[in-house]
Amino acid sequence: MRLIIAEKPSLARAIADALPGGVRREDGALHAGDSVVTWCLGHLLEQAPPDAYDPVYKQWRLDHLPILPSRWQLIPRPKARGQLATIRKLLKQAREVVHAGDPDREGQLLVQEVIEHLGWKGPVARLLISDLNRPAVQRALARLEDNARYQPLYRAAESRARADWLYGINLTRAWTLTGRQAGHDGVLSVGRVQTPVLGLVVRRDAEIRDFRPYPFYVLWADLAVANGQLRAWWQPAENHRLDDQGRLLERAPAEALAARLPGAEGRLTALETRQKRQAAPLPYSLSALQVDAARRFGLSAQAVLDICQRLYERHKLITYPRSDCRYLPEEHLAQAHATLSSACGQDETLREWFAGADFTLRSKAWDDRKVGAHHALAPTGKPAELERLERAEADVFRLIARNVLAQFYPPLIAREVKAEFTILDERFRASGQELLQPGWKPLFTTREEAPPLPAMREGEPCRVEACSVEDRETRPPEPFTDASLIKAMMNIARYVDDPEVKRTLREHDGLGTEATRAGIIETLIERGYLVRQNKTLRATRLGSGLIASLPEAASRPERTALWEQRLAGIAERNDDPAPFLTALIEDLRQLLGSADAGRLRQAMATAQGEAASVAKRRAASGKGRRGRSAPSRARRRPKRSA
């Protein structure tokens, strides 16, 4: 008997349906011919608690820390014992075993740890499925691989699980016990990934809270040129009082120039024109999809993940969703026309996009060198009856299909123009863009482009028709949203100060994984560290106090992102996991040594005071101020005539 162990029941059903012969269910398994398909229910096993290693650890005490298992143990999850017993019985009858976990790090771990825990000593084949439709599953069954090839992926996942246990158990106990000494009654949870993510939000909130706006002034002039009119902006010289972004900090010079401008004549002294060619955005990874769906539809990262799981498992409309890849296998290109024709045929919008596609084109998205265990999200080819889906499911499916269809559209081609005028010995600049070929752009927006600058030639005269000085004010950074926090987790190098670390992280940056990022945000909310305010994510007093009480290294992304690099090295280059865990334990000892009740008490008091101060300011102003973006964005005051 061949035993196939799937990650979850939905995958087991898809595999059984693709096998020859009828399918019958019996005792937690599906029988099809000479094969039996059984399943896990997510993780059937979990890391043993500290008291499994020594009963003395049942009591939380600082002098027990750090707790460092010498021989790691796994125990069954409470609700998994029955299914684990089923798999044990089937293994005893099996002549061969097939590992059918999801094609990612966690999928490799959760099936393989069961096989090893139950003592199977024979060979194991690996079945990789990213599309649950029957033809795709049958193709995958015909291409079984040796599971030994995926041992590095398993070791990386195992190392991640042990690292999370060491970090979470020891630091959570240390800060909870220290919190009790400081008067805080409750668990203070510290995690290898969740705490740096919380740190990002806390620091952003502090930037917003501490931001002090200041005014600046801009002067524009409407210029008549030979072929029309345009608006240009004054570029004040350095002898004026400017901020570090070149913005004018006093109104008088702008007013003085504005008084002289009406009717003044000048010349176009510099003209730069260049043609820009832009390829379509790549197909989606999960995180990239979460960012776009949050911006376009206001969906949380967890909602997008849940929708994708339903589109994959229940509706079988998309390929495996928990992917960090934005490229597609080259073999899929030949079937793309048939796949997309079938997938898009029952929706008016998708039919229109499909009709405009040119399947003789080939984009850079088709690249086997950039496809790992899984590829970008894509339609499976099953006809999509979107009217039978929930609205959010249909919206997300259209996004996924659109980004694949866009690979068969020509590039966007535009002409960018930058013009500099000299008027009254002062410089004025204008810029514009002319769309020469829209290419893929209409699939992404229906917004009309701003009119291009009129045709001009260097040296031609201009005349000021109107002008005005505008009062503006700097604005604080935007609060994080699901979209911007996911994007920050994807591109964590932007939030790192150390130039050496920043350079290293650009190649393999990222906090968390595609499969865990949404869950990290939800966990922080459930534990009371973050709260959603409309679409924004803000730190609570508890979250801010926890970050302030921790050593900075524990709440910043550098260490965790570098750990993810080490895990990638184990998975991709077969690096030895031992140095990774040894370095982690050394870090852990240093962090434990910095737990301090006085610092934590002060941090909580400061956070409470800051929260009260913000509430008082909001009450005084009548409403909370809503930030827009980085300080370079500005709020306009009412115009004053020049």
Side-chain angles (χ1 to χ4, degrees):
M1 178 261 283
R2 177 175 67 169
L3 178 63
I4 303 173
I5 305 175
E7 178 164 333
K8 53 180 78 73
S10 59
L11 180 58
R13 284 194 297 272
I15 295 170
D17 288 343
L19 292 168
V23 178
R24 75 179 195 278
R25 180 163 181 156
E26 183 181 309
D27 297 332
L30 298 169
H31 295 250
D34 189 39
S35 295
V36 176
V37 187
T38 189
W39 53 84
C40 300
L41 302 164
H43 282 279
L44 297 181
L45 301 168
E46 62 186 2
Q47 293 291 334
D51 56 275
Y53 296 99
D54 190 330
V56 74
Y57 294 144
K58 196 150 196 171
Q59 182 181 11
W60 289 28
R61 291 179 50 170
L62 286 171
D63 59 1
H64 290 160
L65 305 180
I67 300 170
L68 305 173
S70 57
R71 185 182 179 87
W72 289 90
Q73 298 178 33
L74 295 172
I75 60 171
R77 289 179 179 268
K79 295 182 180 180
R81 295 183 184 277
Q83 189 61 20
L84 202 60
T86 295
I87 298 174
R88 178 183 283 109
K89 182 178 73 173
L90 291 170
L91 279 172
K92 290 177 181 177
Q93 304 167 22
R95 70 172 188 276
E96 59 179 308
V97 171
V98 178
H99 178 318
D102 281 350
D104 61 9
R105 197 165 72 188
E106 286 307 298
Q108 186 66 33
L109 174 68
L110 70 84
V111 174
Q112 187 163 337
E113 68 184 3
V114 168
I115 292 171
E116 295 194 358
H117 181 75
L118 296 178
W120 173 260
K121 301 300 183 186
V124 179
R126 185 65 164 99
L127 173 61
L128 294 166
I129 294 174
S130 59
D131 178 342
L132 295 185
N133 288 288
R134 183 171 182 169
V137 177
Q138 288 175 329
R139 288 194 297 272
L141 282 163
R143 302 194 294 245
L144 293 179
E145 300 181 55
D146 186 346
N147 189 58
R149 179 182 174 190
Y150 295 91
Q151 278 298 105
L153 194 65
Y154 171 67
R155 283 196 293 271
E158 184 181 61
S159 299
R160 190 276 314 152
R162 292 174 178 179
D164 284 349
W165 190 98
L166 288 167
Y167 200 86
I169 290 290
N170 284 290
L171 292 185
T172 295
R173 288 194 175 204
W175 257 259
T176 298
L177 292 168
T178 305
R180 289 176 189 169
Q181 295 173 2
H184 175 76
D185 185 19
V187 174
L188 289 175
S189 175
V190 181
R192 185 180 63 89
V193 178
Q194 70 168 22
T195 302
V197 173
L198 175 60
L200 289 175
V201 181
V202 169
R203 282 186 284 276
R204 174 63 59 84
D205 285 354
E207 289 176 35
I208 296 169
R209 182 191 67 237
D210 299 337
F211 185 82
R212 295 293 177 262
Y214 58 85
F216 66 96
Y217 308 92
V218 297
L219 167 61
W220 55 261
D222 285 340
L223 308 181
V225 294
N227 291 310
Q229 193 176 70
L230 56 88
R231 178 163 291 185
W233 302 84
W234 179 41
Q235 308 298 305
E238 292 183 359
N239 59 323
H240 297 294
R241 195 157 68 89
L242 310 176
D243 69 5
D244 59 0
Q245 296 188 38
R247 296 177 292 204
L248 184 66
L249 300 179
E250 48 191 2
R251 201 174 203 278
E255 288 182 324
L257 179 56
R260 300 164 52 212
L261 279 174
E265 296 187 348
R267 288 197 174 277
L268 174 57
T269 48
L271 182 66
E272 180 185 335
T273 304
R274 74 181 184 96
Q275 189 166 292
K276 182 179 75 171
R277 184 183 180 92
Q278 185 177 348
L282 290 167
Y284 284 117
S285 65
L286 174 61
S287 289
L289 177 63
Q290 287 169 321
V291 170
D292 275 7
R295 288 174 174 167
R296 184 175 287 259
F297 306 121
L299 296 170
S300 72
Q302 186 63 47
V304 176
L305 175 56
D306 292 343
I307 287 166
C308 286
Q309 284 297 127
R310 294 197 297 274
L311 291 173
Y312 171 62
E313 293 181 5
R314 184 188 306 169
H315 305 297
K316 299 183 173 63
L317 290 175
I318 66 168
T319 57
Y320 180 71
R322 296 174 183 241
S323 172
D324 61 354
C325 179
R326 299 196 68 175
Y327 293 85
L328 293 165
E330 293 171 21
E331 70 172 3
H332 286 202
L333 182 58
Q335 289 84 41
H337 183 279
T339 299
L340 292 168
S341 175
S342 176
C344 301
Q346 300 191 37
D347 178 74
E348 183 179 351
T349 300
L350 293 176
R351 279 200 308 271
E352 182 181 337
W353 290 346
F354 177 82
D358 179 357
F359 287 88
T360 66
L361 299 176
R362 173 174 176 150
S363 79
K364 64 180 181 181
W366 313 94
D367 190 343
D368 286 344
R369 295 169 300 175
K370 296 184 177 179
V371 174
H374 33 260
H375 55 70
L377 280 68
T380 60
K382 181 181 178 182
E385 300 177 61
L386 299 191
E387 70 280 358
R388 300 180 65 177
L389 302 180
E390 296 175 10
R391 179 172 179 175
E393 291 174 340
D395 288 340
V396 169
F397 179 79
R398 283 194 191 95
L399 288 183
I400 294 168
R402 179 201 66 183
N403 273 41
V404 178
L405 281 166
Q407 307 312 308
F408 300 101
Y409 275 70
L412 178 154
I413 300 176
R415 180 184 294 117
E416 291 185 339
V417 179
K418 294 181 181 178
E420 185 171 297
F421 299 86
T422 301
I423 307 167
L424 301 178
D425 295 325
E426 297 287 344
R427 291 183 304 130
F428 288 78
R429 285 182 185 160
S431 62
Q433 179 172 281
E434 179 183 0
L435 197 60
L436 303 178
Q437 176 180 293
W440 50 266
K441 190 74 170 177
L443 276 65
F444 287 74
T445 180
T446 56
R447 211 173 38 190
E448 291 188 14
E449 299 288 335
L453 297 181
M456 295 179 288
R457 57 182 175 78
E458 195 169 311
E460 74 171 85
C462 65
R463 185 177 185 277
V464 178
E465 298 289 312
C467 65
S468 181
V469 178
E470 291 185 4
D471 294 15
R472 304 216 181 154
E473 190 176 71
T474 55
R475 299 288 288 183
E478 285 270 14
F480 275 116
T481 62
D482 276 74
S484 59
L485 188 54
I486 288 283
K487 195 167 186 178
M489 293 162 76
M490 292 166 64
N491 302 290
I492 202 63
R494 298 177 187 176
Y495 299 85
V496 170
D497 296 327
D498 186 312
E500 193 66 33
V501 175
K502 184 186 284 283
R503 188 160 49 250
T504 304
L505 290 180
R506 283 201 182 102
E507 185 178 348
H508 297 288
D509 62 8
L511 276 180
T513 66
E514 304 294 321
T516 62
R517 286 174 183 145
I520 290 165
I521 295 173
E522 297 305 316
T523 295
L524 290 169
I525 292 171
E526 289 167 8
R527 290 178 175 167
Y529 297 148
L530 292 183
V531 64
R532 277 199 177 91
Q533 296 178 352
N534 297 320
K535 292 182 180 180
T536 66
L537 294 165
R538 309 302 290 261
T540 63
R541 180 181 68 84
L542 179 62
S544 297
L546 174 61
I547 292 301
S549 73
L550 286 162
E552 187 176 15
S555 67
R556 292 194 63 85
E558 287 90 333
R559 174 189 276 121
T560 300
L562 288 170
W563 284 351
E564 286 294 340
Q565 283 188 335
R566 299 285 293 274
L567 291 171
I570 296 169
E572 296 167 10
R573 300 188 303 273
N574 203 13
D575 291 353
D576 183 1
F580 164 71
L581 291 173
T582 299
L584 186 149
I585 291 168
E586 290 174 3
D587 285 343
L588 190 58
R589 292 184 190 278
Q590 292 181 4
L591 293 171
L592 290 170
S594 63
D596 180 82
R599 177 177 174 174
L600 198 152
R601 187 183 300 111
Q602 179 60 43
M604 291 295 181
T606 300
Q608 185 171 8
E610 288 168 347
S613 175
V614 169
K616 188 174 181 180
R617 286 203 304 271
R618 287 179 177 169
S621 65
K623 61 180 180 178
R625 178 179 289 176
R626 181 168 172 261
R628 288 190 182 169
S629 64
S632 59
R633 292 287 295 275
R635 179 177 63 190
R636 298 189 180 193
R637 292 178 179 170
K639 291 184 181 180
R640 290 165 57 178
S641 58

